[in-house]
Amino acid sequence: MKRKLMAAIGVATLAVGATACGTDDNGNGGSGSGGNTDSITVWLMDGSAPDAWIEELNAAFEEEHGVSVNVETQEWNGIQEKITTALSEDGTVDVLEIGNTQTVGFAGTGGLADLGEFEGEAWNATMLESATVDDTLYALPWYGANRVVVYDKGIWEEAGAEVPTTREEWIEALELIEENTDAEPIYLPGQSYYVMGGFVADEGGAFAVQEGEEWAGALNTPEAEAGMEFYARLQEFSNSPTDNDEASPQQSTEVVPQGDVASWIGLGWEVGGAIAAIEEQGDEADFGYFPVPGKTADQLGHVFLGGSNLAVSERAGDQDLAKEWLRMATSQEWAQKFVDENNGGVVPNRTDVTASPEEDTFAAAMVQSAEVGYLPPLTTGWANVEVVPNPIKDLMTKVLNGEDYTAAAEEADAEITTRINRD
């Protein structure tokens, strides 16, 4: 039976604290020994959870169940291969954090335990869909995150620019900055394709569409072309090359701190990195934040909604205890504590949990945008599209360099269609 992914939200990139509690002797993860009658092993990604939350949660779990919890911190780089290996072995890991788009792939290999007993909880509906394959629940939502516009308050004040509520007001603000200051109005790499995808979604388009049992690239459409056209309008205000993305160089630590950048589009962990880098130079960051504007004032722009799920290994050393830890960690009580520890800076996994961030913060802008999050194509083959060379990134560079959109889109769609239907 063809696997059906109900939804996929994506790998979260919001760092919300450093995880150090209960690591192995090396302090950086390692293979671990899995669960047994005395302990369970939990893999969490670096920066995913505040120390205080982990420590308090594990103390409560250990008191209730009489077993210790060994938390091993993992790095995102290379995690796909590491999890694949762990899920093929007995007792390596009991509970593990996985990016939302990874869930369907790991479930398809038989590596994740059925979590049907958790159905019916007050889960965030969109996040829950990312963990459901063939109507079976293989993971539980943990948190979500999305991008917002970060701006330098001093530069915007100097330019006489105001926070925009529409796309056109956004362009007008960038024009004022260009005319009245020496700053780069916006740093926008040529290949930030998830940012561009939000503009495509604003127009009602998508990277790919499902046609029966197959998928097809959908960039050669009026909607996708309109989204790319607006991206190009923004990119004209940037000094960035057209053939790089936000990670090469890292925009938050290698670009923003090095010059007068009036604004950029980023995630929470990037803001933290930028502030730290600026302070290391002896300066002080003065950032403001606003959601990506939409075409009209009554509709914010779409943003890619990232996130992480928590799952239980099918070959866990103690699957029952693993599920009990999962039950506690994702409960209303502990989910609310998780949001509170992060100062409201994550999208909650449950409808009975509230995020109330302080005004004029990244978190406040992010939570506003969460309601208009968009998703990548909902299939395991999407991972094949994102590998190098990414055809969407290639299209963006070609168009920004003046090549014909239709010809570039036809070529990209052919490659997307081939890759996305590949197992």
Side-chain angles (χ1 to χ4, degrees):
M1 179 178 181
K2 185 180 179 68
R3 294 193 301 271
K4 179 182 179 184
L5 174 61
M6 302 306 294
I9 297 177
V11 177
T13 50
L14 175 67
V16 291
T19 303
C21 173
T23 56
D24 64 9
D25 291 340
N26 295 323
N28 60 3
S31 298
S33 57
N36 51 50
T37 57
D38 300 317
S39 68
I40 61 170
T41 294
V42 177
W43 281 10
L44 299 181
M45 303 309 300
D46 184 27
S48 284
D51 290 349
W53 183 83
I54 294 176
E55 291 168 1
E56 186 181 0
L57 170 69
N58 287 342
F61 183 84
E62 290 169 8
E63 180 178 0
E64 180 174 338
H65 296 279
V67 296
S68 61
V69 181
N70 177 33
V71 175
E72 297 184 352
T73 305
Q74 308 296 329
E75 300 292 336
W76 282 113
N77 185 32
I79 192 60
Q80 182 90 15
E81 295 78 11
K82 190 167 187 177
I83 290 178
T84 298
T85 300
L87 294 181
S88 68
E89 301 171 344
D90 291 331
T92 299
V93 60
D94 298 293
V95 180
L96 64 159
E97 175 187 353
I98 50 179
N100 297 24
T101 54
Q102 297 174 326
T103 302
V104 63
F106 290 131
T109 67
L112 303 182
D114 184 333
L115 299 179
E117 62 258 49
F118 293 91
E119 293 179 358
E121 293 277 341
W123 306 117
N124 176 302
T126 304
M127 294 184 189
L128 181 64
E129 289 175 350
S130 75
T132 304
V133 182
D134 282 341
D135 298 324
T136 300
L137 194 59
Y138 286 102
L140 300 183
W142 194 20
Y143 66 85
N146 52 260
R147 293 170 174 83
V148 307
V149 183
V150 186
Y151 70 98
D152 186 299
K153 290 182 178 180
I155 295 175
W156 278 55
E157 183 177 357
E158 178 186 352
E162 297 182 356
V163 171
T165 61
T166 66
R167 281 187 184 181
E168 288 307 313
E169 290 180 0
W170 194 4
I171 295 295
E172 291 169 4
L174 298 179
E175 289 174 341
L176 284 173
I177 295 166
E178 186 174 57
E179 294 168 2
N180 299 327
T181 76
D182 294 326
E184 182 177 4
I186 185 171
Y187 177 78
L188 183 63
Q191 296 184 341
S192 289
Y193 69 105
Y194 273 132
V195 173
M196 188 271 281
F199 303 145
V200 173
D202 287 346
E203 303 291 342
F207 290 138
V209 295
Q210 192 166 14
E211 299 177 348
E213 291 293 304
E214 299 294 313
W215 287 78
L219 293 175
N220 189 22
T221 61
E223 294 82 6
E225 184 173 8
M228 183 62 211
E229 284 178 355
F230 182 70
Y231 187 95
R233 289 185 69 189
L234 288 179
Q235 217 275 331
E236 287 179 353
F237 292 96
S238 178
N239 298 331
S240 171
T242 61
D243 61 352
N244 69 306
D245 60 25
E246 65 275 15
S248 304
Q250 174 49 246
Q251 61 180 9
S252 60
T253 57
E254 298 179 75
V255 177
V256 173
Q258 305 308 316
D260 290 333
V261 175
S263 61
W264 48 291
I265 303 171
L267 290 151
W269 71 266
E270 292 180 295
V271 171
I275 291 173
I278 291 170
E279 290 178 347
E280 286 178 4
Q281 297 174 173
D283 297 321
E284 184 176 350
D286 187 19
F287 290 151
Y289 314 93
F290 60 85
V292 173
K295 299 177 70 174
T296 60
D298 60 352
Q299 178 65 61
L300 293 174
H302 285 74
V303 288
F304 175 71
L305 182 60
S308 274
N309 293 329
L310 291 171
V312 172
S313 170
E314 178 66 20
R315 304 178 74 167
D318 194 320
Q319 197 174 111
D320 290 339
L321 276 175
K323 290 181 179 179
E324 287 304 310
W325 188 92
L326 192 61
R327 187 184 306 279
M328 180 177 286
T330 60
S331 67
Q332 191 278 335
E333 175 187 359
W334 289 95
Q336 185 66 65
K337 289 182 178 181
F338 183 80
V339 170
D340 293 343
E341 282 286 341
N342 286 294
N343 298 314
V346 293
V347 179
N349 63 338
R350 302 174 61 99
T351 59
D352 52 7
V353 169
T354 58
S356 301
E358 296 180 7
E359 293 183 5
D360 196 27
T361 62
F362 179 94
M366 186 192 71
V367 170
Q368 291 181 59
S369 295
E371 295 300 319
V372 284
Y374 82 93
L375 310 176
L378 314 180
T379 174
T380 56
W382 180 246
N384 300 325
V385 177
E386 293 189 311
V387 300
V388 178
N390 184 321
I392 304 172
K393 289 184 175 184
D394 289 347
L395 170 137
M396 296 175 70
T397 296
K398 289 176 182 177
V399 174
L400 292 174
N401 287 344
E403 295 188 29
D404 177 68
Y405 181 87
T406 298
E410 287 179 350
E411 182 178 351
D413 279 347
E415 185 66 19
I416 290 171
T417 301
T418 297
R419 294 191 192 184
I420 202 170
N421 293 306
R422 185 187 306 149
D423 290 334

